[in-house]
Amino acid sequence: MKNVLQSCSCKPGEEKTKLISAADPFGTAKGDVVKISVKGSNILKATILLYGIPLIILVISIFVGLILFSESAQPEMYSFLSAI
């Protein structure tokens, strides 16, 4: 049996329900309401990937820019702009 996840994203203004197809070990029928949950550790990992890594890259880029533009008139501005 394959696990198939079809278009499960929500956009503002859309319905709050989505239809998905997945392996069914519990014998649910069409029209049954099911609750899908995600482990907290998976949410934490996704948060770190989405926000933590880009933040670390931004800070490192600012410091590299400070080193590269240390001889210029405004090294802070140039390093910030180059990091973005």
Side-chain angles (χ1 to χ4, degrees):
M1 228 183 249
K2 282 186 175 181
N3 267 344
V4 180
L5 183 62
Q6 297 176 345
S7 181
C8 192
S9 63
C10 292
K11 297 175 184 169
E14 286 188 359
E15 303 179 25
K16 292 186 179 183
T17 59
K18 290 289 180 180
L19 296 176
I20 60 170
S21 297
D24 182 15
F26 303 107
T28 57
K30 183 176 181 178
D32 287 350
V33 177
V34 295
K35 183 177 180 180
I36 299 174
S37 62
V38 179
K39 292 180 184 178
S41 62
N42 290 342
I43 294 173
L44 181 62
K45 287 177 189 176
T47 302
I48 290 170
L49 286 174
L50 289 174
Y51 297 106
I53 292 175
L55 179 64
I56 291 169
I57 292 171
L58 175 69
V59 171
I60 290 171
S61 299
I62 289 173
F63 284 115
V64 169
L66 282 172
I67 293 168
L68 292 176
F69 297 112
S70 62
E71 300 297 322
S72 66
Q74 296 176 333
E76 293 87 6
M77 182 183 74
Y78 293 136
S79 68
F80 179 75
L81 291 175
S82 68
I84 293 176

